[in-house]
Amino acid sequence: MCGIVGAVAQRNVIPVLLEGLKRLEYRGYDSCGIAVFQGAELQRVRSTERVAVLAEQVQSQQLEAVTGIAHTRWATHGAPATHNAHPHFSGHTGHTRIALVHNGIIENHEALRERLTKAGYVFESQTDTEVVAHLIDSLYQGDVLQAVKAACVQLHGAYALAVIAKDEPHRLVGARNGSPLVAGLGEGENFLASDALALAGETSQIIYLEDGDVVDLHLDSVQVYDAQGEPCQREVHTVHLHAGEADLGPYRHYMQKEIFEQPRAVGDTLQGVEVVSPELFGAGAKEVFQNIDQVLILACGTSFYAGLTAKYWIESLAKVPVSVEIASEYRYRDSVPNPRTLVLTISQSGETADTLAALKHARKLGMENTLTICNVASSAMVRESKLAYITRAGVEVGVASTKAFTTQLTALFLLAMVVAQVKGQLSAEQEADLLRKLRHMPVAISAVLALEPQVIAWASRFANKEHALFLGRGMHYPIALEGALKLKEISYIHAEGYPAGELKHGPLALVTQAMPVITIAPHDALLEKLKSNMQEVHARGGELYVFADANTQINSSDTIHVIHMPEHYGLLSPVLHAVTLQLLAYHVACARGTDVDKPRNLAKSVTVE
Ligand code: HGA
């Protein structure tokens, strides 16, 4: 999603801005731009190419500046085009006075556009963002802080803003409401960014702005104003981030690298887990788990499927009822709050706009027992929650989530065990057995990764298909959903996931030779039922591709293709089956020649609604 970087310094900030944009690139974007002071004027460079191309353009113009703002855009309003790329400029008299970058969506942009057009402003873009630039200019009387404060009062929706004004060359103003923004503190220089990662190497001193905050940055001072416009102190966090973490190494794509990092990522996520203890989820977790009698999981996309898998685990082990809801639905519907609910949010970035809003909504409804499972310790969701478990997947660059998903599953399994323990549902023997199996996961995943050559052989057969069906039962049903999502995200093949028992209630009508049916066949209590479902497909001429656990007695034939998985892994089996489906999606996408790491229209860290 969109990225913001801004700097006010006494040295040339162009490398800081471009490096910051590069660090945010992995989130996905369709255009980028930079604006700086050149002499006494504001000048900008924008591009619909990659940041590297923008950097070449900047270099060819020999720009150097001590203050500037930069942006990667993921279009929401107006096509991805140079004239819609940020920064946006404004100046009533035709002379540019204000430059601005924005993340988020301004919901009342139409009304403001109409008013500002009547006031004489000429719009050059179709974005909601340009409205904010003109609004600030219309309120500007020589003090950009005051103009931004006055403008924010009139904005509805979500925004993170970074603003500079031609007549105040050593000043940078930011504002946050609903979209992430941090201030980075340096010595004789200060920074703004949508993510502290963008400032790695420049500063580790970070202020996380809160909703309603406006921040005024000069060379030697950073002053935050709260939603009431009053000066306030916000805590300064020391955040250590390593810029080099995202190197591709010997892999062809980040997605492939991240699939193969899973043994390490799952191992790291379990680092320090010697015993099953509530404190793993934060101080006071035992009391929270004692006081809940249901769990509400809120998430989006792949994290939602992790939540669906956790429902099977928590209900099976802890006997606590669980509901799982898509965050963007929950936040807007009337629901029945129960303060004895554990509200569990799951997000790779911890900044997912809908999930964060759903968490805040749940809190507003009086549900204060909150827990976030997240890959970024400093994220908004972690800060908003009473309890947290940080997965240690490391930076995930591929837009299609892989190691973030399996590390979430790891944390969720641990949670199921902990809640079961607190509720007195877990015998010491069972606890020791499950913990041993959990800690063995890195080895078990490595064995699954060794199946890659067989998956590659299948992938070439899928490359010319346009539809695919994924079947699973029980706790493997969410894995079928995730497998279908992975395939459609990166190969653009239309794919659907179904619980195998539902086949006869509709999707069987779609089964022909042209529709491969991918089946997850664990060696569990539902195996015979699943075999009947497979027969239903076979009898109608459907072609089955089965990932079958050892000893399932499912054998290959003309229309049944089987990859044999290692031994069945009990309750943890979904983690292993998820990995094979990631490999399948990846190699099918490679066979079709798509842009695996940056699939069309999608972005990482979904920070807009
Ligand atoms: N609405 C703005 C910014 C979009 C955004 O934040 N995307 O992540 C635009 O469309 O330019």
Side-chain angles (χ1 to χ4, degrees):
M1 288 264 137
C2 287
I4 287 178
V5 193
V8 50
Q10 300 168 70
R11 57 177 167 135
N12 181 17
V13 295
I14 302 264
V16 176
L17 299 177
L18 291 173
E19 191 53 40
L21 289 189
K22 277 189 197 145
R23 295 209 184 106
L24 297 175
E25 259 194 310
Y26 74 93
R27 294 162 164 236
Y29 63 103
D30 46 58
S31 54
C32 49
I34 184 169
V36 294
F37 294 91
Q38 207 57 24
E41 299 299 325
L42 286 168
Q43 193 170 334
R44 72 182 157 186
V45 182
R46 297 183 290 176
S47 173
T48 51
E49 307 285 327
R50 318 305 304 165
V51 172
V53 177
L54 179 78
E56 281 168 20
Q57 283 175 247
V58 170
Q59 211 174 10
S60 70
Q61 298 191 22
Q62 295 179 334
L63 290 187
E64 266 193 32
V66 291
T67 307
I69 51 177
H71 190 256
T72 48
R73 173 175 190 245
W74 186 80
T76 65
H77 292 57
T82 308
H83 71 281
N84 284 330
H86 305 206
H88 286 281
F89 276 178
S90 181
H92 198 201
T93 54
H95 296 289
T96 302
R97 286 200 304 188
I98 298 291
L100 161 148
V101 293
H102 161 228
N103 287 355
I105 291 174
I106 305 300
E107 288 171 358
N108 58 337
H109 69 102
E110 279 167 349
L112 289 171
R113 182 182 275 256
E114 203 179 311
R115 205 179 81 201
L116 290 158
T117 305
K118 281 192 188 135
Y121 283 97
V122 178
F123 282 78
E124 290 176 356
S125 78
Q126 287 77 49
T127 63
D128 49 338
T129 302
E130 193 183 357
V131 164
V132 188
H134 294 320
L135 181 63
I136 292 172
D137 186 76
S138 72
L139 297 163
Y140 185 70
Q141 291 178 339
D143 183 338
V144 63
L145 172 71
Q146 296 312 328
V148 170
K149 275 183 166 179
C152 287
V153 177
Q154 298 185 41
L155 299 178
H156 301 168
Y159 53 82
L161 303 174
V163 190
I164 52 177
K166 174 184 164 290
D167 297 328
E168 299 173 82
H170 303 290
R171 193 177 200 185
L172 172 64
V173 171
R176 174 202 158 129
N177 192 40
S179 298
L181 191 67
V182 305
L185 314 186
E187 283 186 16
E189 57 186 21
N190 290 302
F191 311 93
L192 273 180
S194 47
D195 186 327
L197 180 69
L199 303 178
E202 302 303 337
T203 180
S204 57
Q205 300 301 293
I206 300 291
I207 294 177
Y208 294 95
L209 298 170
E210 293 185 9
D211 282 345
D213 282 356
V214 177
V215 60
D216 189 14
L217 298 98
H218 295 259
L219 291 171
D220 291 312
S221 68
V222 172
Q223 179 61 58
V224 182
Y225 297 85
D226 64 16
Q228 282 68 47
E230 297 302 324
C232 64
Q233 296 292 329
R234 297 267 177 253
E235 198 182 334
V236 180
H237 298 257
T238 302
V239 178
H240 291 293
L241 292 155
H242 302 290
E245 241 181 311
D247 288 342
L248 192 52
Y251 294 96
R252 203 168 142 201
H253 296 100
Y254 282 107
M255 183 176 177
Q256 188 188 26
K257 173 177 183 255
E258 287 157 7
I259 290 172
F260 278 85
E261 275 176 353
Q262 291 178 108
R264 194 275 307 147
V266 167
D268 284 359
T269 297
L270 291 171
Q271 206 185 334
V273 181
E274 302 302 333
V275 290
V276 176
S277 139
E279 272 58 46
L280 292 167
F281 293 83
K286 186 168 182 184
E287 213 187 341
V288 169
F289 297 152
Q290 271 166 344
N291 288 328
I292 54 122
D293 48 31
Q294 62 181 51
V295 179
L296 169 63
I297 301 181
L298 302 169
C300 307
T302 289
S303 301
F304 173 72
Y305 298 144
L308 275 185
T309 314
K311 175 184 168 78
Y312 287 85
W313 286 337
I314 297 171
E315 294 202 350
S316 166
L317 289 175
K319 315 289 178 220
V320 174
V322 180
S323 53
V324 193
E325 199 157 332
I326 289 176
S328 57
E329 287 297 311
Y330 174 76
R331 65 183 284 196
Y332 290 121
R333 76 177 181 87
D334 293 330
S335 55
V336 184
N338 170 0
R340 290 181 58 82
T341 303
L342 175 68
V343 178
L344 167 56
T345 41
I346 310 169
S347 160
Q348 188 283 130
S349 66
E351 303 286 348
T352 313
D354 283 319
T355 312
L356 180 58
L359 170 60
K360 289 181 177 169
H361 179 69
R363 288 190 62 190
K364 242 190 221 151
L365 294 176
M367 295 193 281
E368 284 297 339
N369 295 313
T370 51
L371 163 65
T372 285
I373 290 181
C374 174
N375 198 29
V376 182
S378 55
S379 64
M381 253 178 255
V382 172
R383 283 178 279 125
E384 189 76 24
S385 297
K386 195 182 269 182
L387 306 175
Y389 195 93
I390 308 302
T391 54
R392 294 204 181 93
V395 175
E396 189 178 67
V397 174
V399 167
S401 179
T402 52
K403 60 178 180 170
F405 180 62
T406 45
T407 52
Q408 284 170 353
L409 290 177
T410 304
L412 287 162
F413 192 81
L414 199 56
L415 176 70
M417 287 175 72
V418 165
V419 178
Q421 184 198 61
V422 172
K423 298 293 184 195
Q425 296 289 342
L426 206 57
S427 69
E429 205 181 24
Q430 204 185 2
E431 184 178 310
D433 179 50
L434 290 175
L435 184 60
R436 189 181 48 76
K437 286 207 170 92
L438 186 60
R439 292 171 64 95
H440 191 64
M441 283 316 286
V443 176
I445 294 173
S446 299
V448 171
L449 290 170
L451 299 172
E452 189 184 35
Q454 295 178 56
V455 177
I456 293 173
W458 277 10
S460 53
R461 294 160 159 266
F462 277 71
N464 61 354
K465 305 282 188 216
E466 287 313 321
H467 306 276
L469 206 54
F470 285 72
L471 301 181
R473 291 195 77 128
M475 62 186 176
H476 293 85
Y477 160 51
I479 302 304
L481 292 172
E482 168 62 6
L485 177 66
K486 222 66 316 161
L487 189 71
K488 67 184 120 175
E489 275 181 311
I490 58 169
S491 75
Y492 314 145
I493 292 176
H494 165 229
E496 294 194 47
Y498 266 97
E502 273 290 290
L503 205 54
K504 53 193 175 290
H505 296 289
L508 204 51
L510 296 171
V511 169
T512 66
Q513 253 185 336
M515 170 86 119
V517 180
I518 298 105
T519 308
I520 304 169
H523 195 186
D524 64 9
L526 293 171
L527 179 62
E528 292 311 318
K529 307 261 175 229
L530 184 79
K531 283 185 177 171
S532 304
N533 301 140
M534 285 167 52
Q535 283 307 321
E536 290 160 14
V537 173
H538 185 56
R540 281 150 187 93
E543 198 154 1
L544 284 151
Y545 291 82
V546 189
F547 288 101
D549 284 359
N551 306 323
T552 45
Q553 313 296 340
I554 300 173
N555 297 315
S556 299
S557 69
D558 281 357
T559 51
I560 303 184
H561 313 279
V562 185
I563 289 181
H564 290 285
M565 301 279 289
E567 63 182 312
H568 178 58
Y569 226 73
L571 279 175
L572 283 158
S573 167
V575 183
L576 302 186
H577 279 279
V579 173
T580 44
L581 298 186
Q582 294 166 355
L583 284 171
L584 181 66
Y586 172 71
H587 285 293
V588 172
C590 288
R592 284 168 74 95
T594 58
D595 189 351
V596 173
D597 286 329
K598 295 193 172 59
R600 71 178 177 215
N601 305 340
L602 301 180
K604 195 92 187 151
S605 293
V606 187
T607 50
V608 292
E609 262 200 82

